[in-house]
Amino acid sequence: MVKRFVLQWHLSENCNLKCLHCYQESHKPIQLKYEELVDIYNQFKELLKRLKMKGHINITGGEPLCNPHLFKILDLIKEDKDLITFSILTNGTLITEEIAKKIKSYNPYYVQVSLEGGKKTNDYIRGKGTYNKIAKGIVNLRNQDIFTSISFTATKLNYKEFPKVVKYARKYDVNNVWSDRYIPLGDSEDKDLALNYKQTREYLSIMSKERNKLKKLKNNHTTISMYRALQFQMTNDFAYGCTAGDTLLTVMENGDLVPCRRMPIVVGNLFENKMYDLYKNSKLLKELRKKKIPDDCSDCEHAEMCHGGLKCLTYAIYKDLNHKDVGCDID
């Protein structure tokens, strides 16, 4: 995909689906009116116009398929298909054959489905019965030839189960598997889910081994993406650079604008200030766009690309961006 300005758009939901880890669990569901959603959409179009860029919207939640206005929003995007592409980030449990056909009619760039490990672990994290429901949803998506990706969030509970996720992906003809580390945003119990240094290194090694296995298989159609922070250390493919506040913004369900869904620092509300004005004038977003290299990364050969790794994890742990990624083993 051509480089675009990415908007992560959280839609509120009207169904009661719960997950052990949730990046917006501190937010009370707020159901915006359709006219308010149109306003947000038009603000994004104005941002693109002012920056002279094309855009991409990742529609997420909660669970976006529970939002009554989802397909009305897709109608708007369809009208602007030469300007904006979109993807849907879902838990996968609500994707019937009919829903998959409807999604296909809007030509999504991809649909991302979350899976957290083997059946026991996944259902502990995402709810009883979701493991099998996700499989049915994926089959429906693939039957429509929709590019389907599995997202795996690595925590202390599940990081060793990444191979089970890859096996699942191959069984159901998933196009791609990608993963990143869990970001603690809440209390001490929440922080206990995050990987420590040793676990991070083991997790990256597991990912790399699974990726190499797939490359050796004949007639394999599933890939593993390793483009996230620090993963390039195992592949030498690409040094990740955080784009939050630069070519990535997130709109929460109440209209709050934050740099990234995993860095929920509110820079303003879109019903009080316009997206472009916040983008240009926010002190935090300006700071993120400077791509400052942390002091302890200054001598690293990858610093100009990596910029210190996962900024959201650094902020979650230190409340300060001037630190290298806690999982990095480069001195």
Side-chain angles (χ1 to χ4, degrees):
M1 183 169 68
V2 176
K3 184 178 179 181
R4 293 172 177 247
F5 196 110
V6 177
L7 183 72
Q8 297 269 7
W9 195 356
H10 287 258
L11 299 181
S12 62
E13 60 179 50
N14 60 0
C15 54
N16 187 25
L17 299 172
K18 295 187 180 296
C19 175
L20 183 64
H21 59 74
C22 180
Y23 290 124
Q24 61 279 352
E25 62 185 5
S26 62
H27 289 259
K28 295 180 180 180
I30 296 174
Q31 182 63 68
L32 295 180
K33 297 176 182 178
Y34 173 66
E35 293 75 15
E36 293 173 314
L37 296 175
V38 172
D39 182 22
I40 291 172
Y41 179 75
N42 286 334
Q43 287 191 44
F44 182 52
K45 286 178 61 176
E46 177 65 18
L47 174 76
L48 297 176
K49 179 180 178 181
R50 300 284 290 272
L51 296 180
K52 297 181 180 179
M53 292 185 69
K54 292 191 175 184
H56 179 83
I57 299 177
N58 285 327
I59 302 174
T60 182
E63 172 49 51
L65 287 170
C66 286
N67 189 284
H69 304 305
L70 171 63
F71 290 103
K72 292 181 183 178
I73 292 171
L74 296 188
D75 285 333
L76 295 176
I77 297 174
K78 192 172 186 177
E79 291 179 2
D80 296 314
K81 61 183 180 180
D82 293 333
L83 176 66
I84 299 172
T85 55
F86 80 95
S87 301
I88 296 176
L89 282 53
T90 171
N91 65 30
T93 63
L94 302 178
I95 302 176
T96 62
E97 182 178 350
E98 181 181 359
I99 291 294
K101 287 181 179 179
K102 195 168 184 179
I103 291 173
K104 175 66 175 180
S105 70
Y106 289 96
N107 192 29
Y109 191 68
Y110 63 85
V111 173
Q112 175 184 295
V113 178
S114 298
L115 186 73
E116 310 299 351
K119 183 175 182 179
K120 183 178 179 180
T121 299
N122 178 82
D123 285 6
Y124 171 70
I125 294 174
R126 293 205 160 261
K128 186 176 180 180
T130 57
Y131 186 85
N132 292 331
K133 290 179 182 178
I134 291 167
K136 292 178 181 178
I138 288 173
V139 168
N140 289 329
L141 290 169
R142 295 299 297 126
N143 283 343
Q144 295 300 316
D145 197 29
I146 296 172
F147 190 99
T148 305
S149 177
I150 283 180
S151 170
F152 173 79
T153 301
T155 72
K156 286 183 178 180
L157 295 177
N158 70 348
Y159 75 95
K160 293 183 180 181
E161 296 196 18
F162 183 77
K164 293 183 180 181
V165 173
V166 176
K167 184 177 180 180
Y168 184 100
R170 292 196 65 230
K171 179 179 179 180
Y172 295 108
D173 194 35
V174 171
N175 300 93
N176 182 255
V177 179
W178 79 279
S179 174
D180 211 342
R181 289 163 286 162
Y182 173 71
I183 307 300
L185 301 177
D187 54 26
S188 58
E189 183 178 346
D190 178 49
K191 291 181 179 179
D192 285 342
L193 290 173
L195 302 182
N196 60 31
Y197 170 80
K198 182 179 179 181
Q199 291 163 337
T200 298
R201 305 316 302 176
E202 185 179 4
Y203 149 73
L204 295 178
S205 178
I206 291 171
M207 283 195 72
S208 181
K209 288 177 182 178
E210 289 300 310
R211 189 171 185 252
N212 290 334
K213 286 180 184 178
L214 289 189
K215 288 181 176 180
K216 296 177 182 178
L217 294 176
K218 293 182 179 180
N219 300 318
N220 169 59
H221 304 111
T222 301
T223 60
I224 297 175
S225 294
M226 293 189 67
Y227 55 83
R228 304 296 293 169
L230 302 189
Q231 294 176 7
F232 73 92
Q233 294 178 1
M234 297 289 176
T235 66
N236 292 319
D237 285 351
F238 171 75
Y240 166 83
C242 178
T243 59
D246 183 8
T247 56
L248 169 67
L249 291 173
T250 296
V251 178
M252 304 305 290
E253 65 222 25
N254 64 348
D256 281 345
L257 189 71
V258 301
C260 167
R261 68 192 179 107
R262 308 205 299 170
M263 191 188 292
I265 309 170
V266 178
V267 300
N269 186 279
L270 297 182
F271 301 119
E272 298 173 1
N273 299 97
K274 298 300 182 183
M275 189 183 297
Y276 178 78
D277 293 336
L278 290 172
Y279 176 79
K280 294 297 291 184
N281 299 322
S282 164
K283 182 178 179 181
L284 172 63
L285 300 185
K286 286 181 179 180
E287 193 68 18
L288 289 170
R289 288 197 290 273
K290 290 178 181 178
K291 308 286 187 184
K292 286 187 176 180
I293 297 171
D295 293 341
D296 43 6
C297 296
S298 58
D299 295 330
C300 178
E301 62 179 316
H302 304 293
E304 290 297 330
M305 284 290 291
C306 181
H307 300 118
L310 270 184
K311 295 294 186 183
C312 50
L313 180 58
T314 295
Y315 185 82
I317 293 174
Y318 301 109
K319 302 303 179 194
D320 177 6
L321 296 174
N322 189 30
H323 293 274
K324 74 173 184 180
D325 194 309
V326 294
C328 184
D329 68 346
I330 300 177
D331 295 326

